[in-house]
Amino acid sequence: MIKQAKVRATAHTNIALIKYWGKADVSLNIPTTSSLSMTLDKFYTTTELSFDASGQDRLILNGEGTDATRVKGFLDLVRQKTGQDFPGLLIDSQNHVPTAAGLASSASSFAALTGALVRLLDLPENDREMSRIARIGSGSASRSIFGNFAIWNKGHDDASSYAEPFYDEDIGLSMIVAEISQKEKKMSSTRGMQLAQKAPSYGAWVEKSARQLKEMKSAVQAHDIEQIGLIAQDNALGMHEQNRLCPEPFDYFIDETRQVLAFTEACYRSGLLAFATMDAGPNVKIITDKASETELLARFKNEFPNMAFEIAHAGGGLSYD
Ligand code: ADP
Ligand code: DP6
């Protein structure tokens, strides 16, 4: 039964401290590793969903008609899985985050779309079910249903692979996002991770990631930002190493990325909490705490006067308005 004609949902991006970088099942986004993330307050997507008079699925992104192939593929899978052959949808979405630049627009956008869809179709608003649906749109979106720290247990099939809240307290972690480039990346995360999985060292990264996840859980529960930063940095740099070592090598790093990484390390050596994590793009997220963020930001702005920086903290889960 269809309850509402139009629904608006908002979801925030999340940044993984232990990354998802590989698929055991490509069509369902079943990952090779479990991952742990923090949802951010600063970056989000708001999506308004209604039925489209044309009967087709259409996407309007930031006010402009946009290629709907990916969302249509997602909606068709949802039609198939829920057995609800709902008519074409108009997805009118605003990204308050650069699209496809490695700042997790796919996470916030598929989580927002899932939230809106579930309400529009009057499906049960169950977090676990919504996480599973969002996962089919984009793996990282499974975690954006939740605020604060979420864990995506890799599972082994569609029923067992979903995210859930891990720690719902603000532990004072800050992320300074160095917006090195807002341009759309050349290599999508979907393709990048599938290439990286062919690296001879990939199995070792997966094994290490399981150990790092355990350590990360303890560090989050202990509010130990230094440990969180050290583990997250090692996990992320290891992920990017697979990209360089696979049979068709590629690299998301550009010169400014390397400069920001080197400066982050120099700041840490000088006694400030400063660690880096990176996703599928050249942008760097610097992990620190609320007490250090002002001084650290001033140092980065001084060193990189032409670069844009934003400070983000823990944000909330899926919401409606
Ligand atoms: P990012 O690093 O931003 O997550 P991805 O390549 O993983 O980049 O995902 C970007 C893709 O996600 C876009 O090319 C588009 O297909 C989809 N996308 C991004 N924002 C939206 C949105 N608001 N609504 C629907 N799809 C979106
Ligand atoms: C590096 O979730 O964008 O950000 O499932 O193919 O849509 P698809 O990939 P996506 O990959 C995110 C990769 C990452 C790490 C992470 O968020 O865990």
Side-chain angles (χ1 to χ4, degrees):
M1 215 248 308
I2 287 157
K3 204 167 55 174
Q4 292 186 43
K6 198 179 261 188
V7 174
R8 231 165 104 95
T10 294
H12 292 245
T13 62
N14 71 78
I15 298 300
L17 300 169
I18 299 292
K19 304 291 183 191
Y20 150 53
W21 197 241
K23 298 178 199 246
D25 181 309
V26 172
S27 65
L28 290 173
N29 290 336
I30 310 296
T32 54
T33 59
S34 296
S35 51
L36 193 155
S37 61
M38 187 174 91
T39 299
L40 301 185
D41 56 355
K42 197 60 146 250
F43 303 104
Y44 60 94
T45 297
T46 295
T47 294
E48 203 169 80
L49 199 60
S50 55
F51 293 99
D52 196 72
S54 72
Q56 304 294 312
D57 296 321
R58 286 202 301 135
L59 172 62
I60 298 179
L61 183 52
N62 298 338
E64 280 181 26
T66 304
D67 177 18
T69 312
R70 182 165 175 177
V71 278
K72 184 167 170 27
F74 165 69
L75 293 171
D76 284 343
L77 262 172
V78 177
R79 287 182 176 103
Q80 194 186 312
K81 290 197 137 307
T82 58
Q84 295 219 14
D85 194 19
F86 51 85
L89 296 173
L90 174 62
I91 302 139
D92 189 353
S93 194
Q94 290 286 336
N95 279 347
H96 299 268
V97 53
T99 302
L103 289 167
S105 72
S106 64
S108 54
S109 62
F110 281 97
L113 177 56
T114 299
L117 185 63
V118 161
R119 189 161 281 195
L120 188 77
L121 299 178
D122 203 18
L123 296 171
E125 283 170 32
N126 170 298
D127 284 351
R128 182 174 294 182
E129 292 308 308
M130 290 200 280
S131 175
R132 287 176 52 222
I133 296 173
R135 187 204 75 229
I136 293 171
S138 179
S140 52
S142 64
R143 301 182 307 239
S144 272
I145 300 294
F146 307 100
N148 260 312
F149 295 91
I151 189 159
W152 173 16
N153 299 301
K154 66 184 169 121
H156 53 85
D157 59 9
D158 187 38
S160 58
S161 189
Y162 53 83
E164 57 192 3
F166 169 65
Y167 198 69
D168 206 10
E169 261 179 57
D170 183 351
I171 66 166
L173 193 153
S174 305
M175 278 196 195
I176 301 178
V177 180
E179 289 187 18
I180 291 172
S181 167
Q182 297 223 357
K183 276 199 222 128
E184 189 160 332
K185 60 199 167 206
K186 290 187 200 87
M187 174 75 74
S188 73
S189 25
T190 305
R191 177 152 167 73
M193 67 176 83
Q194 286 174 64
L195 292 176
Q197 273 178 263
K198 296 187 188 134
S201 51
Y202 182 75
W205 180 76
V206 167
E207 276 174 31
K208 188 173 182 189
S209 161
R211 291 196 297 277
Q212 289 174 321
L213 178 64
K214 280 194 192 144
E215 292 162 13
M216 182 61 82
K217 282 169 148 179
S218 304
V220 170
Q221 283 164 330
H223 299 201
D224 186 341
I225 310 274
E226 183 169 21
Q227 265 309 104
I228 293 172
L230 286 168
I231 302 164
Q233 183 168 268
D234 193 33
N235 179 265
L237 294 179
M239 167 194 138
H240 286 274
E241 194 63 17
Q242 306 317 308
N243 304 343
R244 293 182 206 110
L245 294 174
C246 69
E248 291 175 62
F250 61 99
D251 203 341
Y252 290 113
F253 288 30
I254 59 176
D255 285 349
E256 288 94 325
T257 308
R258 290 184 201 93
Q259 288 159 16
V260 169
L261 291 179
F263 191 68
T264 306
E265 202 185 330
C267 289
Y268 179 55
R269 275 206 243 100
S270 77
L272 272 176
L273 283 180
F275 311 91
T277 185
M278 285 178 61
D279 295 297
N283 300 306
V284 181
K285 293 104 197 176
I286 299 133
I287 297 170
T288 188
D289 66 1
K290 283 187 180 161
S292 315
E293 66 181 32
T294 309
E295 186 183 343
L296 195 59
L297 180 63
R299 286 207 201 173
F300 271 92
K301 281 189 167 164
N302 185 50
E303 185 72 14
F304 302 101
N306 299 321
M307 208 174 272
F309 295 94
E310 297 259 21
I311 295 192
H313 300 118
L318 175 70
S319 64
Y320 296 95
D321 55 24

